[in-house]
Amino acid sequence: MVEVQVLRPREVPLGGPRAMTVRRTLPSRERSFVGAWCFLDHYGPDDVAATGGMDVAPHPHCGLATVSWLFSGEVEHRDSLGTVATVRPGEVNLMTAGRGISHSEVSTPGTSVLHGAQLWVVLPTAAAGVEPRFEHHAPPVVEVAEGVRAQVFVGSLWGSQSPVSVETPLLGAEVVLAPGASVELSVPPGYEVGVLVDTGTATFAGCHLGAAELGVVAQAAPVLAAGPAGARVLVLGGEPFGEEVVMWWNFVGASHDDVAAAREAWEAEAGTDAGRFGSVDGYEGRTPRIPAPALPGVRLRPRGNRGAPHPPTTEAPAMS
Ligand code: MN
């Protein structure tokens, strides 16, 4: 019997006036990573007229890569490499921060409904200091079983391969299933696999998943099936991430000192154009950049891939 760990989201307000609230399933108390996926914020569908949409002023990252995936709406991305890109539904934008980058994210004036996922990937220590880069890819929609269509945006599955470059074996895909349709997730041996339900309900390795829940298995080739209303899900997988890292604010590092140095660099670079995190041109929000919060008074502790699966739950579907 395949064991499925079900992570239920917690609501996290992102801060600021009329701020968006997101549903966060990673990291959670029970689990830090699925493969090298280390952060999963799921949001919307939000009525932008009510929420104000997304307006994130320039802020830094290091030691991680960000993956933006939208179901509806558009977001303008600007970064310190000079990239100006529009994030659109069904197109992946991968920003590998490496040694350091800064960027802003603003929903476009034409966006009325914003709905998507913001994902982070932890970089292994050997690649944490790579030069920053930005990649975009619009994966084709492929029919992988009767009533099942997929877009593979990171890695390879069902013969569909994304060209974006990642530092550990990793998989990301959007899968849309018609009511009652099912498919085997034939991922490489040794991959952990997570399924995040966006719309509808699903059964994953025999375990019911409701809206916004993330089910994770440590065994390859689980079967994913849609509930009676169909389902749209994100499939996230990869080789288990074996290192311990410190995650704090927008930084990932091997130690407290790595993160403290990144924070100090960002604060010291305020008002300058050069430096480790560079600067973002053309952002027109209320504040020019987001200052780093104060470090806690204790040393930041590393997190590893803690969390153990629990037996599958097979109770009747519940709203969540
Ligand atoms: Mn960011």
Side-chain angles (χ1 to χ4, degrees):
M1 187 182 291
V2 178
E3 290 184 299
V4 182
Q5 182 179 36
V6 179
L7 303 174
R8 296 185 172 85
R10 60 189 194 282
E11 305 258 322
V12 180
L14 292 185
R18 295 197 302 164
M20 290 173 58
T21 295
V22 301
R23 299 178 290 275
R24 185 166 298 163
T25 40
L26 285 180
S28 73
R29 202 178 297 277
E30 299 90 350
R31 189 176 195 98
S32 300
F33 315 122
V34 176
W37 298 102
C38 64
F39 186 89
L40 202 182
D41 273 358
H42 179 211
Y43 56 88
D46 282 343
D47 175 0
V48 168
T51 65
M54 182 185 291
D55 184 353
V56 186
H59 59 280
H61 288 292
C62 65
L64 57 84
T66 66
V67 171
S68 304
W69 187 259
L70 288 178
F71 303 111
S72 66
E74 291 186 349
V75 172
E76 183 190 73
H77 160 101
R78 291 174 179 267
D79 68 36
S80 52
L81 301 173
T83 311
V84 181
T86 303
V87 185
R88 295 187 174 88
E91 302 181 10
V92 70
N93 289 273
L94 168 68
M95 184 182 79
T96 301
R99 64 173 176 78
I101 197 168
S102 55
H103 74 143
S104 61
E105 298 152 290
V106 181
S107 47
T108 61
T111 295
S112 55
V113 175
L114 196 59
H115 186 185
Q118 184 63 46
L119 304 153
W120 291 359
V121 179
V122 60
L123 303 181
T125 300
V130 296
E131 289 297 305
R133 60 180 188 259
F134 182 87
E135 296 164 83
H136 165 265
H137 175 57
V141 177
V142 290
E143 182 159 11
V144 297
E146 192 179 341
V148 183
R149 295 187 302 167
Q151 282 184 285
V152 177
F153 55 80
V154 173
S156 177
L157 187 64
W158 298 306
S160 192
Q161 182 156 9
S162 170
V164 300
S165 51
V166 287
E167 303 291 346
T168 53
L170 201 67
L171 169 68
E174 178 186 308
V175 182
V176 179
L177 302 98
S182 67
V183 67
E184 183 175 292
L185 299 181
S186 46
V187 302
Y191 269 35
E192 301 169 331
V193 195
V195 167
L196 175 80
V197 176
D198 176 51
T199 56
T201 59
T203 302
F204 181 46
C207 176
H208 173 78
L209 295 177
E213 291 182 340
L214 175 68
V216 183
V217 303
Q219 176 179 315
V223 171
L224 171 67
R232 178 167 65 191
V233 308
L234 293 182
V235 174
L236 303 170
E239 285 189 0
F241 187 77
E243 298 182 25
E244 293 205 330
V245 293
V246 174
M247 291 177 63
W248 180 81
W249 194 46
N250 290 308
F251 304 131
V252 174
S255 66
H256 171 96
D257 293 341
D258 278 1
V259 166
R263 180 191 181 280
E264 192 170 325
W266 175 247
E267 293 304 286
E269 288 169 25
T272 70
D273 286 340
R276 178 172 172 184
F277 296 103
S279 65
V280 177
D281 288 336
Y283 172 76
E284 292 175 345
R286 281 181 297 271
T287 54
R289 75 206 297 273
I290 302 178
L295 279 166
V298 295
R299 284 182 70 80
L300 299 164
R301 293 193 307 179
R303 61 169 72 232
N305 202 356
R306 68 180 166 213
H310 59 69
T313 53
T314 53
E315 69 267 23
M319 297 300 291
S320 63

